[in-house]
Amino acid sequence: MRPAGDKLPRHFFHTDSLLVTHLPNVRYLTGFTGSSGCALITPRQKLFFTDFRYRQQACLEVKGFGVRITPGAALEGACRYATGRGLRLGVLGYDGAHLRHGEYLLLRRLLRGVKMKNAAGAVEEMRMVKQKSEIRRVGEACRLVDDAYRRLARSRVVGRPEKEVAWMLEKWLREAGSGPLPFGIIVASGPRAAMPHGAAGDRVIRKGEVVVVDMGASVDGYASDATRTFATGRLPRRLSQIYGLVREAQESAVAGCLAGAAGAAVDALARDHIAAAGHGDEFGHALGHGVGLEAHESPVLSKRSHDKLKAGMVITIEPGVYVEGLGGVRIEDTVLVTARGPERLTGFSRKIEYLK
Ligand code: ZN
Ligand code: ZN
C-alpha cells in the first residue's frame, strides 16, 4: 500500500528541502507507523531515518524513501547524515509547529550554516484534501462509531458510572476492529455535560438527565469523531429546547459544507442560529475541525478561520450549548465535502434517543 502523500507537490514547501518530524506528517509521506522517525526531502533525495528498533518495520512500511538506520535519535541522525554526506539542502524547512525547543536548538547546532525556515503547516496543508483511500478508511472508522451508538441505544446506562460506560464503548469499538482510539471517550452526564471535554468520571448516571458521548474509532491510522447527546428519561424543558436548537444549528451548518465555502462562514451558520436564541455565550468553542491521521487537524471551522472548504476535505460539525449547573448538548458528525455537496460519514440518529 502506498502512503497517501507519496506524490509530493513541491510547491507546498516554499523551501528547497524539508525536514519532517511530526509523526502523522511522517506517516503521511512515508507510510511509517512507528513512534520514532523523521523524513528528509532534498532536491535530489527522499530519505527516512529511524533507529535499530524500527529497522524491519521501516523496510516493510516505508515507500518511496531511502531508509537509513541511525545509531541514536532519528533527528540527530538525519542532521549528522546530511552534514557527513554534504547533502545540498538549500533553504531547509522544518516542522516548526511540532518541534521541541531542545530539538530546534540541536538542529541549529548540527546544521550550522544551513539557512532554515519554519515550514509549519506545509504537510498539514497537503493532508487537508483527502484521497479516495483515506476517505475510505475514515468512512470505515465512522461506521464503527455508528454501530457502537446503535448498540448503546439498546443498553442500560442508568445506575452505572460514566467510566464504565466509556469502557464498554471502547471495548465494542476495539472488538469490532478499531485500532487504538484516537482520543479518550467522553461520557459526561447531568451537570457534568456542561463541560465540553468532560472526561468520563466516577459519577453514576441518573434518570432524567442528559449524557453527552463523544467518541472516535481508527482504521489504518485514520480517525472518526462523532458526538451524540442522549437522555435518560424526560428532560427539563430548557434542556430539550436546547437540544432542538443545537440540532437545527448542526443541520444548517452541515448543509453549508460546500466546496468553496469559508470556514468562518460555515461556523457562522451554526453560531448565529444559537446566538439568536440567546445562547451565544454558551457555545464557546469552534464549530469543527479536520479529521484524518489525527483526530484534530486542519482545516479549522471557527470565527477566526481563514481556511476554505474544498472537495475531499473531511471535517467535523459540532455545535454545542453548555449551561453551568444544568448540563449541555453537543451533536457532532464527521462530514465529507464533495463537489456535489456535503456527505455525512457518521449517520446515527440525531433525534434525541432515550437510554434506559
Ligand atoms: Zn468529538
Ligand atoms: Zn471533534
Side-chain angles (χ1 to χ4, degrees):
M1 195 161 20
R2 295 201 72 81
D6 74 330
K7 284 185 204 75
L8 300 166
R10 296 200 57 86
H11 64 272
F12 277 112
F13 297 176
H14 312 293
T15 55
D16 302 308
S17 306
L18 191 66
L19 179 62
V20 184
T21 50
H22 182 48
L23 284 168
N25 288 342
V26 172
R27 178 172 187 165
Y28 180 75
L29 296 174
T30 69
F32 179 70
T33 66
S35 66
S36 179
C38 66
L40 177 64
I41 299 151
T42 79
R44 292 175 152 216
Q45 291 109 332
K46 285 164 72 180
L47 297 169
F48 170 77
F49 298 86
T50 188
D51 61 77
F52 171 80
R53 293 170 298 167
Y54 291 110
R55 188 163 60 183
Q56 283 186 51
Q57 187 178 334
C59 291
L60 289 170
E61 291 179 341
V62 172
K63 302 274 184 315
F65 282 70
V67 174
R68 301 288 181 272
I69 305 301
T70 64
L75 178 66
E76 181 171 351
C79 295
R80 292 197 188 281
Y81 185 93
T83 48
R85 302 286 169 117
L87 300 190
R88 282 181 45 198
L89 299 174
V91 177
L92 176 70
Y94 58 89
D95 245 347
H98 304 284
L99 215 55
R100 288 198 191 100
H101 185 60
E103 292 172 327
Y104 173 76
L105 295 177
L106 181 79
L107 204 63
R108 281 280 179 210
R109 184 162 59 77
L110 294 177
L111 297 181
R112 199 165 285 145
V114 173
K115 211 169 159 198
M116 287 186 210
K117 193 173 152 188
N118 186 350
V123 183
E124 282 84 346
E125 198 182 326
M126 297 170 65
R127 285 169 46 196
M128 279 201 275
V129 172
K130 266 71 181 172
Q131 296 170 18
K132 275 203 188 110
S133 61
E134 299 181 281
I135 293 167
R136 200 183 56 237
R137 292 171 196 164
V138 175
E140 281 171 28
C142 286
R143 276 190 290 281
L144 293 177
V145 162
D146 274 347
D147 288 346
Y149 275 129
R150 265 181 231 118
R151 249 178 113 173
L152 178 64
R154 299 191 301 264
S155 306
R156 172 169 291 279
V157 302
V158 174
R160 300 173 71 179
E162 294 167 351
K163 273 198 321 210
E164 199 181 298
V165 174
W167 171 239
M168 174 179 81
L169 292 166
E170 179 159 359
K171 242 172 62 164
W172 289 346
L173 289 170
R174 295 302 305 261
E175 282 167 0
S178 171
L181 300 198
F183 54 89
I185 294 178
I186 290 170
V187 177
S189 62
R192 291 192 77 249
M195 295 190 285
H197 273 193
D202 293 318
R203 186 180 187 278
V204 173
I205 299 168
R206 295 187 204 153
K207 235 182 141 36
E209 56 186 30
V210 286
V211 183
V212 173
V213 178
D214 188 347
M215 63 180 159
S218 80
V219 170
D220 288 340
Y222 283 83
S224 56
D225 186 5
T227 305
R228 288 295 182 270
T229 301
F230 297 90
T232 52
R234 222 179 128 88
L235 292 179
R237 217 173 115 82
R238 241 175 110 201
L239 273 175
S240 48
Q241 278 170 346
I242 288 173
Y243 190 95
L245 178 70
V246 170
R247 189 178 163 192
E248 286 163 10
Q250 209 248 8
E251 303 286 341
S252 88
V254 169
C257 289
L258 304 171
V266 180
D267 179 89
L269 289 173
R271 201 168 300 281
D272 293 352
H273 188 71
I274 288 172
H279 290 287
D281 293 339
E282 290 149 356
F283 174 26
H285 57 71
L287 175 69
H289 53 85
V291 182
L293 283 172
E294 290 175 277
H296 290 92
E297 57 180 50
S298 299
V300 171
L301 287 88
S302 71
K303 264 195 255 186
R304 286 175 296 278
S305 170
H306 294 291
D307 294 323
K308 251 198 176 133
L309 296 186
K310 288 184 188 156
M313 285 184 174
V314 178
I315 52 175
T316 68
I317 298 294
E318 50 179 306
V321 170
Y322 311 91
V323 184
E324 227 181 291
L326 180 69
V329 174
R330 179 167 68 257
I331 301 174
E332 172 183 32
D333 280 303
T334 300
V335 175
L336 168 67
V337 181
T338 79
R340 297 171 306 284
E343 190 184 308
R344 282 181 204 262
L345 298 180
T346 48
F348 180 71
S349 166
R350 293 178 299 283
K351 278 202 318 247
I352 191 149
E353 294 272 337
Y354 292 89
L355 302 180
K356 295 185 289 258

